[in-house]
Amino acid sequence: MKFKLILSTLMLSSILSQAQQAPGKNQSKQTVTTTQVTVKDEPKTTTNERTIKVESSVITNHSVNIDGKAIPYKATTGTLPVWDEEGKPIAGLFYTYYERSDVSNRDKRPLVISFNGGPGSASVWMHIAYTGPVVLNIDDEGYPVQPYGYKENPYSILDVADIVYVDPVNTGYSRAVSKDVPTNKFFGVRADIKYLAEWINTFVTRNNRWASPKFLIGESYGTTRVSGLALELQNNQWMYLNGVVLVSPTELGIERGGPVDAALRLPYFAATAWYHKLLPQDLQSKDLTAMLPEIENFTINELIPAISQGGMLSADKKKTIAAKMARYSGLSEKVILDYNLNIPTNFFWKELMRDKGGFTVGRLDSRYRGIDKMGAGASPDYNAELTSWLHSFTPAINMYIRNELNYKTDLKYNMFGPVHPWDRSGDQTGDNLRQAMAQNPYLHLLVQSGYYDGACDYFNAKYSMWQLDAAGKLQDRMSWEGYRSGHMMYLRKDDLKTANNHIREFIKKALPKAGEAAKF
């Protein structure tokens, strides 16, 4: 066994040496260079057995230039178990853990634990396009280019924090140990939070990170996940956080039905129409962020009350409201009246450019345009933006894990995995986050939104923050940032830099001064 391990290490070193001398055409010359490889308990999957090994790790050493400075780091890629109530492993979670390697005191070094969403999505998105040491080979606006690949990320937050990217069960390479394990152990709001909190405890203990300041970052459904984890970790793992970052947050279980739900979409409609140059000239001539406050004020002060009146709203008043909505949304007054002031988002994506080139606009990023089979219909045939993203992400993550991080397995990397039916009952994650902040004076919150995100729109994110802190007592620890892109705002180069800087400053701000006690 010892000889086999040595031989494996020598073979990998030889392969890496050859690769460094002659990089492949799909691999950028800026790609992080592996300088040393250590293999521990290498995965033993074969082409005949595509099963998870609940514990495995591969360690590689690298360097990345961030803001002009070389940052050395160690990458650990592997799996750690999920335990049942009897202490038996029921799943193996795949993770990638980056540690800056020139740090003398890791007790003071922040640790960021990163999740994406879905539910059913791997952590790939933020891993190789946002905060990690490599980013996709895409154009400056986020569109795919060939050859596929990745390059080093000069804006990564690895200079200020270590990062672990976690794939929940059935995403990435994470799997249950057998089909006999009940899916209700994993697939639901509360189950997801419970088992991931236990796993985080295992990870932190194994890696001796209990003393480190800890941060959670989640994107999309991952914001539901980390909002719930903030309280679960605090109450049942006795692990206290310094910060939570919500990237393109969901509704977090916060009630907003009826008129509120219908009205809150309008500012997003306005932003999208502005981007496609479909607003009246007086609005179009203003900058995006100078134009939006007018629509936001109308939404809160006029539209919500008007929709609330329903059939009691006079015909004249209804027409006046519809005319303003048309002015702000790029849609016709007739269409808005036909929908009784309540425009579904899927209809908006289909209708906005129906007579202007016949394009649809993207759901997660409305800068993207799609082509449907026919102009008729109430919703687009497909999500133009997601198809574009999978175009560039899927090859890159498979190349990167195998070729750079040297993790070898015949398991399929699930960009999206089977996790349905998902039990959404008991979602009180927004209030969970509020409770965690109320109980922990160290805990700070940063919310990041793209103006062109139609799935988790920016104005709903603001509304969630208002409702999280209805008493107005947490404002000094809460902040919101908006970006001129969509759900994955970091795909746009300018936003990649700005958004990472916002996280970097947030982490620094959330670290208490030496000797500063956690008290109100």
Side-chain angles (χ1 to χ4, degrees):
M1 184 63 158
K2 184 176 180 181
F3 172 78
K4 186 175 180 181
L5 179 60
I6 294 171
L7 180 61
S8 174
T9 304
L10 290 172
M11 288 174 66
L12 282 169
S13 298
S14 174
I15 292 168
L16 287 167
S17 176
Q18 294 174 29
Q20 290 165 5
Q21 294 171 13
K25 67 178 182 178
N26 289 335
Q27 187 173 335
S28 166
K29 291 182 180 179
Q30 290 183 307
T31 298
V32 176
T33 303
T34 304
T35 57
Q36 178 183 345
V37 179
T38 305
V39 180
K40 296 195 304 180
D41 199 11
E42 187 176 359
K44 298 177 182 177
T45 53
T46 70
T47 53
N48 297 319
E49 186 181 2
R50 299 172 75 180
T51 56
I52 186 71
K53 186 172 180 63
V54 296
E55 292 200 47
S56 62
S57 67
V58 177
I59 297 173
T60 52
N61 290 283
H62 313 258
S63 179
V64 59
N65 287 297
I66 299 175
D67 196 24
K69 182 179 180 180
I71 306 295
Y73 67 94
K74 179 176 75 172
T76 303
T77 311
T79 51
L80 279 178
V82 175
W83 314 101
D84 67 8
E85 293 81 359
E86 298 176 355
K88 297 178 180 178
I90 57 174
L93 290 199
F94 181 74
Y95 69 95
T96 305
Y97 176 35
Y98 297 106
E99 301 171 84
R100 183 168 175 169
S101 50
D102 61 350
V103 174
S104 58
N105 185 355
R106 204 159 297 279
D107 288 354
K108 296 181 180 180
R109 173 81 170 161
L111 172 66
V112 175
I113 305 168
S114 181
F115 294 97
N116 273 92
S121 172
S123 66
V124 54
W125 316 100
M126 291 197 292
H127 182 178
I128 63 168
Y130 191 7
T131 53
V134 302
V135 289
L136 292 175
N137 182 32
I138 51 180
D139 79 357
D140 287 353
E141 291 298 314
Y143 290 86
V145 296
Q146 289 184 328
Y148 300 120
Y150 45 87
K151 54 193 174 184
E152 72 175 19
N153 182 4
Y155 312 117
S156 170
I157 62 170
L158 192 54
D159 57 331
V160 297
D162 296 337
I163 318 165
V164 56
Y165 298 91
V166 187
D167 291 335
V169 171
N170 275 6
T171 74
Y173 294 134
S174 299
R175 303 289 191 274
V177 296
S178 78
K179 294 181 179 179
D180 296 329
V181 179
T183 58
N184 63 10
K185 295 281 188 182
F186 315 114
F187 302 154
V189 174
R190 291 176 292 181
D192 179 73
I193 290 166
K194 184 177 185 299
Y195 89 82
L196 288 173
E198 292 281 353
W199 187 92
I200 290 170
N201 187 311
T202 299
F203 176 86
V204 167
T205 300
R206 292 276 189 100
N207 290 278
N208 194 27
R209 298 307 298 263
W210 274 98
S212 300
K214 300 171 191 66
F215 295 79
L216 298 180
I217 181 171
E219 180 183 16
S220 195
Y221 185 83
T223 62
T224 300
R225 177 176 287 137
V226 300
S227 295
L229 278 169
L231 188 65
E232 179 71 16
L233 287 169
Q234 196 165 293
N235 284 355
N236 294 313
Q237 305 299 327
W238 311 286
M239 186 182 296
Y240 289 74
L241 304 172
N242 286 74
V244 172
V245 181
L246 305 181
V247 180
S248 304
T250 63
E251 296 178 353
L252 306 178
I254 296 170
E255 179 58 41
R256 68 193 73 211
V260 172
D261 183 44
L264 291 179
R265 304 169 197 149
L266 184 62
Y268 153 71
F269 292 168
T272 299
W274 181 90
Y275 177 82
H276 291 287
K277 297 180 170 54
L278 298 175
L279 292 181
Q281 182 57 35
D282 63 316
L283 293 175
Q284 197 68 55
S285 63
K286 295 181 179 180
D287 186 64
L288 175 66
T289 54
M291 178 271 295
L292 285 174
E294 179 180 334
I295 292 87
E296 294 176 3
N297 288 332
F298 168 77
T299 298
I300 295 298
N301 298 314
E302 296 186 57
L303 186 55
I304 291 176
I307 298 177
S308 298
Q309 293 178 55
M312 293 295 293
L313 186 67
S314 71
D316 287 346
K317 182 63 174 176
K318 188 172 185 179
K319 183 173 175 57
T320 299
I321 293 293
K324 284 191 175 182
M325 289 181 68
R327 168 176 160 79
Y328 294 146
S329 68
L331 303 180
S332 72
E333 183 179 329
K334 180 181 184 304
V335 161
I336 292 169
L337 287 170
D338 286 345
Y339 272 92
N340 292 324
L341 313 181
N342 184 354
I343 304 295
T345 48
N346 59 343
F347 177 77
F348 175 80
W349 302 322
K350 179 77 173 185
E351 177 69 14
L352 181 65
M353 302 189 73
R354 196 192 300 262
D355 298 328
K356 302 166 186 71
F359 293 105
T360 62
V361 297
R363 170 179 176 261
L364 295 166
D365 192 329
S366 294
R367 297 176 303 150
Y368 291 71
R369 299 187 298 183
I371 300 174
D372 279 0
K373 182 178 181 179
M374 60 182 67
S379 62
D381 292 349
Y382 65 99
N383 294 330
E385 77 297 329
L386 187 56
T387 298
S388 175
W389 296 341
L390 289 168
H391 202 310
S392 50
F393 273 92
T394 310
I397 191 64
N398 281 279
M399 294 158 59
Y400 176 63
I401 291 175
R402 178 170 286 269
N403 299 338
E404 287 293 329
L405 302 182
N406 291 291
Y407 191 88
K408 306 294 196 296
T409 177
D410 285 329
L411 282 172
K412 180 172 68 174
Y413 188 90
N414 284 340
M415 304 292 284
F416 296 99
V419 301
H420 297 286
W422 188 269
D423 182 3
R424 294 183 179 271
S425 63
D427 182 358
Q428 297 181 324
T429 52
D431 194 59
N432 293 161
L433 179 56
R434 181 202 61 78
Q435 288 184 57
M437 292 184 71
Q439 296 172 19
N440 177 7
Y442 280 157
L443 183 53
H444 290 66
L445 172 66
L446 170 63
V447 179
Q448 298 183 306
S449 298
Y451 289 111
Y452 308 127
D453 181 1
C456 300
D457 69 83
Y458 88 92
F459 199 57
N460 263 284
K462 287 186 173 182
Y463 181 84
S464 291
M465 290 183 67
W466 300 336
Q467 304 310 310
L468 279 176
D469 185 29
K473 295 180 180 179
L474 307 175
Q475 292 298 302
D476 60 334
R477 290 186 283 142
M478 300 172 67
S479 57
W480 178 90
E481 299 289 349
Y483 307 92
R484 294 170 186 250
S485 43
H487 198 73
M488 298 183 191
M489 70 286 297
Y490 43 82
L491 294 183
R492 181 172 176 264
K493 185 177 180 180
D494 286 350
D495 291 330
L496 171 68
K497 180 179 180 179
T498 303
N500 269 308
N501 280 336
H502 285 152
I503 295 176
R504 184 176 286 105
E505 293 307 313
F506 171 74
I507 289 172
K508 293 176 181 178
K509 179 182 177 182
L511 297 177
K513 297 179 177 64
E516 182 181 349
K519 63 181 180 180
F520 295 115

